[in-house]
Amino acid sequence: MYDYGLGLVRTSTEVFRKGIAERCHGRTISDVAREYGLPYTTVERWLDCQHLTRHFLRGLFFCILSVSGNLMSHGF
């Protein structure tokens, strides 16, 4: 297996996908896909998954804050 210089084993692990997605910041998807020999659509999907996860967690965090704030205002 080849780790593409990422220090990661090239299997489709979450850590590997996150590493590839992070390399897209400030670069085009096609540049990253070409650099690592991956299909464009694969890198695009991994990047989209990272964005969705980040948005979901941010929304969950604000929901928890809202609920805890409501509970505190009611004396719980």
Side-chain angles (χ1 to χ4, degrees), residues 14-55:
E14 184 177 355
V15 173
F16 180 77
R17 292 188 301 267
K18 283 182 180 179
I20 294 295
E22 288 173 6
R23 280 150 183 81
C24 291
H25 296 293
R27 300 176 61 194
T28 64
I29 294 172
S30 58
D31 284 345
V32 174
R34 191 172 24 259
E35 180 178 346
Y36 295 101
L38 297 165
Y40 176 93
T41 54
T42 298
V43 176
E44 181 181 43
R45 184 174 62 252
W46 292 351
L47 185 60
D48 287 344
C49 286
Q50 294 304 309
H51 286 222
L52 289 173
T53 300
R54 194 172 303 129
H55 290 299

